[in-house]
Amino acid sequence: QVQLVESGGGLVQPGGSLRLSCAASGSIFSIDSMGWYRQGPGKQRDLVASITTGGITDYVDSVKGRFTISRDNAKNTVYLQMNSLKPEDTAVYYCNARKYPRIGVRVDYWGQGTQVTVSS
């Protein structure tokens, strides 16, 4: 099992910044990628950004140029730096860790979620 603990959410004004952190523990070996998802009120949970163990990143179009995902392998921690925040970024943000233990098998681990609210 992989345990994920998020921190860094909160209330921020439009145009402001926040940094989310996600610390992984437990069976962290063979994690293929980590990422951040978000779920707004009445919406499905969608990918925001991801990063592989090799450092390859991917972002949803709506956050490109504003958000940056990074990881510190020594600390088993992934970060999401969010700049130029907009009200539509308001959501619960979830940390994700993904493994592929066998061909065709994907296992996802989730954090408990952290609320990000962008409002004046």
Side-chain angles (χ1 to χ4, degrees), residues 13-72:
Q13 292 185 342
S17 299
L18 283 175
R19 188 175 83 153
L20 305 183
S21 300
C22 173
S25 62
S27 300
I28 60 174
F29 58 93
S30 74
I31 288 178
D32 180 79
S33 65
M34 294 186 69
W36 292 92
Y37 286 68
R38 66 187 178 188
Q39 187 169 15
K43 298 182 179 179
Q44 66 181 20
R45 189 178 299 186
D46 291 323
L47 175 69
V48 176
S50 65
I51 184 167
T52 68
T53 52
I56 297 172
T57 59
D58 187 32
Y59 298 90
V60 66
D61 285 347
S62 61
V63 308
K64 287 180 179 177
R66 299 189 298 122
F67 291 10
T68 302
I69 190 169
S70 61
R71 63 191 297 167
D72 184 333

Side-chain angles (χ1 to χ4, degrees), residues 4 10 12 16 25 33 48 50 54 64 76 78 82 89 105 111 117 120:
L4 302 172
V12 64
S25 62
S33 65
V48 176
S50 65
K64 287 180 179 177
N76 301 316
V78 64
M82 305 185 293
D89 295 316
V105 176
T117 302
S120 54

